Amino acid sequence: MATGAPMHSRVEADVEAGSDLWACLRQVSGIALDWYRPNVLRRRLETWMARQGLRGSAELLEFLTAYPGKVSELIAYLTVDFSEFFRQRGVFEYLRAHVFQTWLPGRPFRALSLGCSRGQEAYSLAIVCHQVWQWTVDWYVIGVDIDGLNLRQALRGVYGARELRHVTDDERVDFFEPTASSGERYRIRPIVTQRVRFIQGDVFRLPVASEVADLVLLRHLLIFIQPRYHDKILAEVHRVLRPGGRLVLGSVERIPPVGEAAWVPEAPPWRVFRKGAA
Amino acid sequence: MEKKFTLAFLLVAGISYLVFDLFVSRFLRNTLPQVEGAGPLYVTLASLFPAFVIVFLAAGLGWGVARFWLLPPIQDLARATRQVRDGDLRVQIDPRSGDEVGQVVDSFNQMVVELRRLIQEIHHTSDRLHGMAVHLRAASQEVSTSAQEIANTMQDVARGAEAQAQRIQQVQGLLQQLERQTRQIADLSQTTCATAEASVQAAQGGIDLIGQLLQRISATRESIHTASRHVHGFGQRALSITDAVRHIQHIAQQTNLLALNATIEAARAGEQGRGFAVVAEEIRKLADSTRQLADEVSVLANEIQHQSQSVYQVMEESVRHSDESQSGLQSSLSRFEQIVHSSQQTYRQATQVVGMTNQQLKGVQDILEHINEINHVAENNAAAAEQVSAATEEQSAATEEHLRSAEDMAAIAQRLKEAIQKFAL
């Protein structure tokens, strides 16, 4: 049967076409985005360049050298941030029933939200923690993201109404307060932010010690990363999880066959896995 | 089976012993020593010979028993087993007896029946499995193709969303420009207002000034008029002076004549009249000087009169001029009032423009806010489209793996079918 070239090798052909742009980017910013999916990067880069009126890598290089401040803006634009509170509510309800409500009060709980963007996922976790435990458990949520601008916005904690569309009205009243500015915007309350920290870092070298986390959320990040790097990332996640700790992936993501032995599927519809032997 | 063997051996041993003992060994013992030269070795060998014969017979008997009594059922079994090995599952053997071999044969028969049934079932199952695997492969193929198409479409959507976001940014830029320009217009209108107000005030000041000026001119005119009347009076007085001077001249003339007469009379009087002649001469000189002075005064008075006349004329001219100025100023005044009027109109209009521009500005700002929202949504959509695109690519990759699994399954089913092909049922 003729399916044409398999998906991944077609994508790698695209990489070749844009490689001079990557080289330019790497040269100016010092950041290599090799691990990102090439055609997503290429589209975003082309759009940004069109907006600034640039054509070709020579003009891009010139522009970025002349305006170093634009580099971080470009990097921020290239990496796709799209997130909202309680994205896929079912996952959170599953975790609430099977992790939070069955937790022994004496045990401390640490959760990691990887690729946390502007903090929506980390704060959602914190909200559930607070709803189930209040202060009876020593819990803590850490958000990790590569982009400093995103983390600053996460610290500010102000969000638009659209990002809160999965939040119930009670939760909105309990955990958010409307801000004074025009348009519906909400600020998250300190009761939630107290136990949430944000660290800048990348998923290949997590700035977290080994066997520390009980729950790691790695959702909608792997789809943007080339498949050949997935093993490394999952190995790193394996490192930071405690034995029996859980990993939650995004809805179409899966463990690559090479690493399947290290993970025990716990709830396949919600993409929840437990840490198995390495 | 043991019964057979025991029977056989017993038979053979018994017969052998009987034969040996009864006939052969007795004969040999009796015969051999008598033969000449029959040493002990020869005797031993000679007695062994019959033993060999008996053993040979016993072996022959044993072989015969085994071959024709024991072996056939086992041979049947062996042959049947070979047939089964070669794939014929229809084989069944006749047990012939109920002993162990017969039991084996029974079991064998049952086993073959079971095996046939099993293989038949495998056959059916493998057929179904093959069918399902082919079906699954076709379905995976379709899903893979669809996922591929979706991924491609989502890439297009993502590209479109990016383009849309870009366009909206451009619109935003244009609107911001519009806002800036509208603001500039508002500012200009404000300035116009201020300028108009200043114009009004300046014109008002001008009007006041002109009013003052008119008043002053009026006053000046009045004083000039008064002065001209005085000057006229001057002229009249000068005329009176001239008249008076004429009288004085006349008197001087008369005095001169009288003096002359007096001189003449004095000359007539002789010596007594000398004193009087001197006095008369003096009087004549006085009269002369008086006449001269009177002439001078007359000239002066004339000059004064003329000059007052010219001054009067000049004054009259000044009055005329100031009248002209007044009417000129009057028209300036009305012009100024016109300026005030139009400046006030300008002010009103400029205020209107300011009002309308402010409204427009507000409208543009509203649009900008909406466009901002749209921009956020568009950026969000673009990001979401990227996410969906990446997710569908992932999904597509997973589906390709499913496809490979389905193909493997189909291959396995095929091999299974081929493996049981050789079994005849």
Side-chain angles (χ1 to χ4, degrees):
Chain A
M1 75 231 75
T3 50
M7 196 64 170
H8 298 303
S9 72
R10 248 218 334 276
V11 150
E12 312 215 338
D14 286 339
V15 175
E16 295 314 306
S19 57
D20 58 337
L21 290 174
W22 303 147
C24 161
L25 204 57
R26 204 178 328 158
Q27 190 181 344
V28 176
S29 68
I31 297 176
L33 285 171
D34 304 351
W35 42 268
Y36 215 74
R37 281 215 194 231
N39 38 345
V40 173
L41 265 189
R42 201 164 37 83
R43 267 200 299 277
R44 300 290 276 190
L45 184 61
E46 280 169 2
T47 309
W48 193 83
M49 280 169 65
R51 284 188 195 180
Q52 312 291 336
L54 303 169
R55 269 185 225 270
S57 53
E59 287 191 28
L60 177 66
L61 188 56
E62 221 180 273
F63 183 77
L64 289 178
T65 324
Y67 302 101
K70 290 281 185 182
V71 171
S72 52
E73 187 188 300
L74 172 59
I75 301 285
Y77 183 76
L78 287 179
T79 52
V80 174
D81 314 309
F82 175 77
S83 189
E84 46 191 7
F85 280 86
F86 288 107
R87 187 159 178 204
Q88 277 190 301
R89 190 114 201 177
V91 173
F92 288 92
E93 295 311 316
Y94 175 87
L95 291 175
R96 187 199 298 268
H98 292 87
V99 176
F100 293 97
Q101 281 169 352
T102 58
W103 197 261
L104 297 171
R107 285 175 62 190
F109 177 83
R110 302 281 177 266
L112 278 182
S113 166
L114 301 182
C116 68
S117 178
R118 291 197 312 274
Q120 294 96 328
E121 192 177 70
Y123 285 135
S124 302
L125 265 181
I127 287 175
V128 177
C129 287
H130 198 269
Q131 284 172 332
V132 179
W133 294 326
Q134 282 92 46
W135 313 120
T136 59
V137 170
D138 169 21
W139 61 268
Y140 216 82
V141 177
I142 301 173
V144 178
D145 198 87
I146 196 175
D147 184 358
L149 281 172
N150 274 346
L151 291 180
R152 274 207 286 281
Q153 291 198 319
L155 285 171
R156 272 182 45 214
V158 177
Y159 303 96
R162 216 177 316 108
E163 294 163 285
L164 267 62
R165 62 189 174 126
H166 297 299
V167 176
T168 66
D169 289 331
D170 289 336
E171 284 166 353
R172 191 195 303 236
V173 165
D174 287 339
F175 299 106
F176 296 87
E177 56 194 6
T179 63
S181 65
S182 65
E184 268 190 84
R185 295 185 79 73
Y186 296 88
R187 175 177 283 113
I188 193 135
R189 289 187 195 269
I191 203 172
V192 176
T193 63
Q194 284 179 14
R195 293 222 189 166
V196 180
R197 294 283 177 275
F198 294 99
I199 311 178
Q200 186 170 3
D202 71 68
V203 291
F204 294 98
R205 265 186 315 274
L206 288 172
V208 175
S210 303
E211 299 206 352
V212 152
D214 297 291
L215 177 66
V216 171
L217 266 62
L218 178 66
R219 296 162 70 204
H220 305 108
L221 192 62
L222 290 181
I223 48 176
F224 287 110
I225 298 180
Q226 290 177 29
R228 57 195 161 135
Y229 295 103
H230 288 187
D231 292 326
K232 250 192 271 184
I233 296 173
L234 286 171
E236 184 70 354
V237 170
H238 201 270
R239 177 182 74 83
V240 302
L241 269 176
R242 287 217 188 106
R246 288 173 174 90
L247 163 69
V248 183
L249 293 178
S251 56
V252 288
E253 293 168 338
R254 54 214 169 94
I255 311 276
V258 177
E260 254 167 13
W263 300 98
V264 177
E266 180 180 307
W270 307 117
R271 293 290 193 273
V272 179
F273 297 86
R274 273 192 112 108
K275 169 172 169 166
Chain B
M1 206 56 162
E2 288 147 329
K3 253 194 316 201
K4 291 185 187 172
F5 263 113
T6 319
L7 214 56
F9 250 101
L10 224 49
L11 211 61
V12 168
I15 294 172
S16 318
Y17 181 72
L18 249 89
V19 168
F20 192 72
D21 203 36
L22 284 178
F23 302 111
V24 179
S25 91
R26 199 167 293 174
F27 173 72
L28 282 176
R29 249 182 288 147
N30 292 337
T31 322
L32 280 176
Q34 278 128 20
V35 173
E36 250 183 60
L41 182 67
Y42 181 72
V43 170
T44 317
L45 282 174
S47 56
L48 276 177
F49 174 67
F52 278 129
V53 168
I54 292 171
V55 164
F56 181 71
L57 283 173
L61 196 62
W63 177 82
V65 162
R67 173 75 179 75
F68 295 107
W69 202 10
L70 301 175
L71 217 47
I74 296 177
Q75 271 181 336
D76 280 345
L77 196 59
R79 190 181 37 237
T81 313
R82 262 201 306 282
Q83 280 178 319
V84 167
R85 183 202 68 194
D86 289 337
D88 187 354
L89 292 179
R90 295 167 295 200
V91 167
Q92 295 284 287
I93 320 172
D94 177 16
R96 292 196 209 189
S97 64
D99 67 351
E100 287 80 358
V101 175
Q103 281 170 19
V104 169
V105 168
D106 263 336
S107 303
F108 176 81
N109 285 336
Q110 280 173 17
M111 183 186 79
V112 170
V113 165
E114 275 302 308
L115 202 59
R116 187 163 76 217
R117 213 173 45 76
L118 190 66
I119 296 290
Q120 270 171 346
E121 204 161 305
I122 291 178
H123 211 278
H124 284 142
T125 312
S126 87
D127 268 342
R128 276 178 54 209
L129 189 66
H130 190 262
M132 278 161 50
V134 167
H135 200 69
L136 189 62
R137 188 174 66 194
S140 292
Q141 183 73 47
E142 273 190 43
V143 173
S144 175
T145 316
S146 317
Q148 190 87 2
E149 278 200 35
I150 292 173
N152 288 341
T153 312
M154 282 321 300
Q155 287 205 11
D156 284 340
V157 169
R159 212 172 287 120
E162 301 278 4
Q164 188 183 45
Q166 193 188 337
R167 283 262 181 274
I168 288 171
Q169 272 233 331
Q170 284 177 343
V171 168
Q172 207 178 23
L174 288 171
L175 274 174
Q176 279 168 345
Q177 224 180 6
L178 183 62
E179 194 214 9
R180 271 197 300 277
Q181 285 170 344
T182 312
R183 211 186 278 279
Q184 276 179 351
I185 292 174
D187 287 343
L188 273 173
S189 307
Q190 281 285 48
T191 316
T192 310
C193 262
T195 312
E197 236 186 279
S199 293
V200 166
Q201 279 184 4
Q204 203 62 50
I207 288 174
D208 291 341
L209 223 74
I210 290 180
Q212 281 177 12
L213 214 53
L214 278 173
Q215 274 182 5
R216 270 211 283 270
I217 288 178
S218 230
T220 310
R221 188 188 184 282
E222 282 314 305
S223 44
I224 290 181
H225 201 68
T226 317
S228 85
R229 273 207 311 269
H230 284 304
V231 164
H232 192 71
F234 257 176
Q236 300 298 90
R237 299 273 159 73
L239 277 175
S240 318
I241 290 176
T242 315
D243 280 342
V245 162
R246 256 206 296 274
H247 277 305
I248 294 173
Q249 278 178 330
H250 182 72
I251 290 173
Q253 219 173 359
Q254 299 292 74
T255 311
N256 206 4
L257 274 174
L258 277 174
L260 200 62
N261 282 333
T263 311
I264 294 172
E265 292 299 317
R268 260 207 230 141
E271 267 322 300
Q272 279 94 16
R274 214 178 285 161
F276 191 69
V278 172
V279 168
E281 185 63 32
E282 289 304 310
I283 289 170
R284 198 186 57 81
K285 279 187 195 158
L286 280 170
D288 267 341
S289 358
T290 305
R291 196 173 42 87
Q292 269 177 5
L293 284 168
D295 281 340
E296 278 172 24
V297 168
S298 170
V299 165
L300 278 171
N302 255 339
E303 273 181 32
I304 288 173
Q305 206 257 328
H306 281 143
Q307 277 181 358
S308 353
Q309 195 68 25
S310 22
V311 166
Y312 179 76
Q313 276 175 359
V314 163
M315 284 188 170
E316 283 301 297
E317 196 135 322
S318 291
V319 166
R320 248 198 327 278
H321 280 160
S322 73
D323 277 346
E324 275 171 20
S325 303
Q326 205 157 27
S327 63
L329 279 176
Q330 204 69 39
S331 55
S332 291
L333 188 70
S334 60
R335 291 263 154 75
F336 266 97
E337 277 170 355
Q338 266 180 11
I339 289 175
V340 165
H341 187 64
S342 39
S343 293
Q344 278 173 340
Q345 235 185 348
T346 308
Y347 180 81
R348 272 197 302 275
Q349 283 171 345
T351 314
Q352 259 191 332
V353 169
V354 165
M356 290 190 319
T357 326
N358 274 335
Q359 260 189 333
Q360 191 173 337
L361 193 64
K362 177 106 185 6
V364 169
Q365 280 169 342
D366 275 345
I367 295 176
L368 255 181
E369 236 182 73
H370 284 304
I371 292 287
N372 253 334
E373 263 306 296
I374 293 175
N375 194 25
H376 277 144
V377 172
E379 292 275 9
N380 244 2
N381 278 349
E386 290 290 354
Q387 251 199 10
V388 175
S389 171
T392 33
E393 274 183 32
E394 186 78 18
Q395 187 66 38
S396 183
T399 316
E400 285 208 16
E401 271 190 34
H402 291 158
L403 188 61
R404 276 197 285 279
S405 300
E407 282 174 18
D408 285 345
M409 198 160 86
I412 289 172
Q414 185 66 23
R415 275 207 301 278
L416 190 59
K417 251 183 94 158
E418 284 164 7
I420 61 175
Q421 197 77 304
K422 65 170 189 182
F423 287 106
L425 301 164

